Amino acid sequence: MDDPDALTGSDRRHYMDCAACQASNKGMADDARAAATMLSAPELKLDVETALKRVQAAPAAKPRFGFSLPVLRPSTRPMFAGLAAAAIVAALAITAFANILPLFQPKTVQPVPVTFADLQALEQLSAYGTLTWSTQPKPQIVLTAADAKAISGLDVPVVSKLPAGVSSTVTYAAMPGAVAVFTFDAKKAADAAAATGKSLPKLPSGMDGAKLTVTVGPAVVEVFGDMNASSGTNSSSQNINLPQLIVARSAVPVVTSTQVTAKQLEAYILSMPGLSPELAAAIRSIGDPTTTLPIPVPVEYATSSKVSINGDPGVALGDNTGLGSGVIWIHKTNVFVVAGSLKQSAAVDIARNLK
Amino acid sequence: MGVNLEVAADGRRRLVTTRDEAFEALFKSEYARVAGIANRVLADPQEAEDVAQEVFISFHRLHSASAQFAPAWLHRAAAHTALNRVRGRKRRERRELAQAPEEGSRTVDPQRMLEVGEDRRMVRAALARLAPKPAAVLVLRASGLSYAEVAQAIGVGTGQVGTLLRRAEAALRKEVTRGTSI
């Protein structure tokens, strides 16, 4: 009833005869006009370049080793798919090189320098198949270590001594295992090839519908720092404070494949026409001849070095901005991460003294 | 997944060697609208730019510029941050009003309020007295956002925007009348 012109047939006839409807509509129209008039504002003359420079110069806007904690916000769900695709390609490449089938379990970690273009390229993988979750990742935020253990089945690592300045307020996130399946789709691949004007190379037998299954988690994450203390004045802008320290533990990802070996699948995808050099490079570069879990190290922002955590080899990431650092290592069948706005030596120290 | 996510999430954030480029693109495409929303609330171009820049800095600190929710987040944050500033201003104004009671006794015709800065401030004070959601709906729509964009920014279905808007318009009119005839 907002707009009499939008009425049809009997509604319109009713409107023409009904004083109440007309009055109500006039009232609404008056309100709208009044609001528009009242909310007029002086003209803005913007210098976008200058404003951009000012924003970029703000110290807080520097890249830092902060985590935006995707587990905390449902709005970041689409990212899960992207990450899963990345994990799958990584797993696929590693599996292929390691040639251990049907089971793959990384035993150590290896930093791999990557650029943003590499990661973006992984999204193109969706042109060759479908990614589905057979078990959705269901991260939950809980208040106690016991709850986190109940969900994940993992003992929550205990930080024996918190560095000065790190809040003792802990938020736990926990997740049961999740299973993602990448199914190679001959038709999609043919379409992708056709888009480049070429035909698909001959399919190895059993290739169509070949599945690569990646199991991730279960996992627990401890976030130190008061996440709810709003840095703004209202909660609506979704402000959360950056965590000071994150300690995480997860079962190592496990990859299995059906019908074809992962190496065949990888080789075949690499032979596809129209495969961008970036995606090919990403698939090749992530692979490592040993059973390693690749740690993507963004070359511009971080440096990595090898460290030993109580006998297990690990990788320490230092941030060139000096604002954060992290350590990742594998102990038995679990991956551990300690990261935060800390000095690298502090992160390594926490890692070595984790109980 | 937690761990992998941490690694990957961190990797993703830091992987963005083009992160700055992505942010720059987002800034250039949204700055005028974000500043426009703030200006709609504040009726003060300079303060509006302050708010817009503050909003972008917070966003940059918390999120990736390639996030799908980026524009909606920015619009909403601009409206609420600016409204909060007006609320602060309103408290100041109330003190001033108490000192000059004769000011509050006149009535104002909304149609004629346009020209005077003082009246603009009264409208803003009335806006700040509305509940946050209707206030945001009014401001976002008046800033030229489509129903769909308003809906995304305040997190309601597109179908609800029309009703919310109509109620908010009526409420604003009532608030202005009330506020100017105390």
Side-chain angles (χ1 to χ4, degrees):
Chain A
M1 195 65 60
D2 340 11
D3 180 5
D5 294 337
L7 298 178
T8 52
S10 60
D11 283 344
R12 184 167 180 84
R13 276 191 296 280
H14 167 82
Y15 179 83
M16 300 308 278
D17 294 339
C18 176
C21 283
Q22 287 174 21
S24 141
N25 183 66
K26 182 176 182 306
M28 286 190 288
D30 286 351
D31 284 344
R33 260 194 305 277
T37 308
M38 289 189 289
L39 286 172
S40 71
E43 196 191 344
L44 262 179
K45 291 197 181 70
L46 299 175
D47 179 351
V48 177
E49 289 295 336
T50 311
L52 176 61
K53 284 202 186 83
R54 200 173 303 153
V55 167
Q56 282 169 335
K62 277 186 198 165
R64 42 168 91 192
F65 201 95
F67 295 81
S68 83
L69 277 186
V71 289
L72 291 180
R73 270 192 308 278
S75 53
T76 54
R77 284 280 151 70
M79 213 176 101
F80 277 82
L83 293 174
I88 281 182
V89 172
L92 174 128
I94 303 159
T95 311
F97 281 104
N99 206 15
I100 298 174
L101 284 169
L103 196 71
F104 156 74
Q105 284 192 321
K107 302 255 188 311
T108 182
V109 287
Q110 177 73 36
V112 180
V114 292
T115 63
F116 184 57
D118 290 342
L119 254 224
Q120 283 193 322
L122 294 181
E123 288 171 15
Q124 302 163 12
L125 196 69
S126 60
Y128 304 99
T130 1
L131 178 73
T132 53
W133 291 97
S134 62
T135 309
Q136 284 274 347
K138 289 199 187 94
Q140 293 177 47
I141 307 297
V142 291
L143 294 176
T144 66
D147 289 343
K149 185 181 176 178
I151 291 167
S152 65
L154 296 173
D155 281 323
V156 179
V158 178
V159 177
S160 50
K161 200 179 74 193
L162 278 177
V166 173
S167 164
S168 58
T169 307
V170 190
T171 309
Y172 298 91
M175 196 190 81
V179 181
V181 181
F182 176 78
T183 310
F184 182 83
D185 183 332
K187 188 176 175 306
K188 270 190 159 188
D191 291 346
T196 67
K198 291 178 180 143
S199 61
L200 203 63
K202 190 173 170 297
L203 278 178
S205 64
M207 181 61 89
D208 189 24
K211 282 181 167 52
L212 200 66
T213 306
V214 180
T215 309
V216 286
V220 286
V221 182
E222 292 167 274
V223 181
F224 292 82
D226 192 350
M227 305 297 290
N228 294 320
S230 175
S231 55
T233 41
N234 64 79
S235 58
S236 57
S237 58
Q238 303 182 10
N239 281 337
I240 51 165
N241 289 345
L242 287 172
Q244 295 166 300
L245 170 66
I246 287 178
V247 177
R249 171 184 186 174
S250 167
V252 292
V254 175
V255 182
T256 55
S257 75
T258 62
Q259 302 182 37
V260 292
T261 65
K263 190 176 174 67
Q264 283 174 296
L265 186 51
E266 187 228 32
Y268 187 72
I269 290 180
L270 283 174
S271 73
M272 302 280 299
L275 187 77
S276 74
E278 290 85 11
L279 178 55
I283 292 173
R284 285 201 193 90
S285 74
I286 294 175
D288 189 280
T290 51
T291 51
T292 57
L293 182 67
I295 311 301
V297 179
V299 279
E300 276 81 359
Y301 285 122
T303 53
S304 66
S305 56
K306 296 192 172 181
V307 290
S308 169
I309 306 296
N310 304 330
D312 294 314
V315 172
L317 300 173
D319 201 317
N320 291 344
T321 61
L323 287 164
S325 64
V327 192
I328 177 164
W329 72 102
I330 294 181
H331 178 68
K332 292 183 180 160
T333 58
N334 281 192
V335 190
F336 290 83
V337 174
V338 171
S341 31
L342 304 162
K343 284 190 203 154
Q344 187 172 308
S345 57
V348 172
D349 195 49
I350 293 170
R352 288 188 176 141
N353 292 302
L354 221 52
K355 283 172 191 159
Chain B
M1 188 68 165
V3 161
N4 304 309
L5 257 185
E6 293 315 325
V7 173
D10 170 52
R12 183 185 133 110
R13 280 177 72 84
R14 295 145 106 289
L15 271 170
V16 187
T17 55
T18 55
R19 181 191 156 103
D20 289 340
E21 285 165 36
F23 180 73
E24 208 176 309
L26 177 69
F27 190 92
K28 284 182 177 162
S29 70
E30 289 294 338
Y31 183 68
R33 281 227 281 192
V34 170
I37 291 166
N39 189 39
R40 189 69 51 189
V41 177
L42 294 158
D44 179 338
Q46 205 173 350
E47 202 180 356
E49 285 215 61
D50 271 4
V51 166
Q53 288 164 23
E54 184 187 320
V55 164
F56 271 99
I57 290 169
S58 310
F59 180 86
H60 198 24
R61 201 186 295 163
L62 294 168
H63 304 294
S64 158
S66 48
Q68 271 183 346
F69 59 80
W73 191 102
L74 291 166
H75 301 156
R76 175 193 176 110
H80 285 296
T81 310
L83 281 165
N84 277 342
R85 288 224 182 171
V86 178
R87 289 185 191 112
R89 212 197 251 173
K90 196 179 88 178
R91 280 189 287 276
R92 248 188 349 263
E93 222 160 66
R94 208 178 292 139
R95 281 197 302 277
E96 288 163 10
L97 215 68
Q99 285 156 9
E102 73 278 6
E103 273 246 309
S105 59
R106 68 210 171 97
T107 55
V108 175
D109 174 358
Q111 301 290 347
R112 287 211 321 265
M113 292 185 70
L114 181 58
E115 301 303 322
V116 198
E118 178 64 21
D119 291 342
R120 257 186 189 146
R121 272 206 293 284
M122 285 192 173
V123 172
R124 268 64 203 184
L127 189 62
R129 282 196 296 272
L130 298 184
K133 195 181 266 185
V137 172
L138 272 179
V139 166
L140 293 171
R141 181 62 181 154
S143 306
L145 269 69
S146 69
Y147 274 32
E149 288 168 323
V150 172
Q152 276 188 333
I154 60 169
V156 300
T158 310
Q160 288 171 262
V161 172
T163 311
L164 280 171
L165 191 60
R166 249 175 287 125
R167 281 194 207 136
E169 283 163 355
L172 176 67
R173 204 178 184 192
K174 209 165 127 196
E175 265 312 320
V176 169
T177 314
R178 192 171 76 86
T180 52
S181 56
I182 301 164

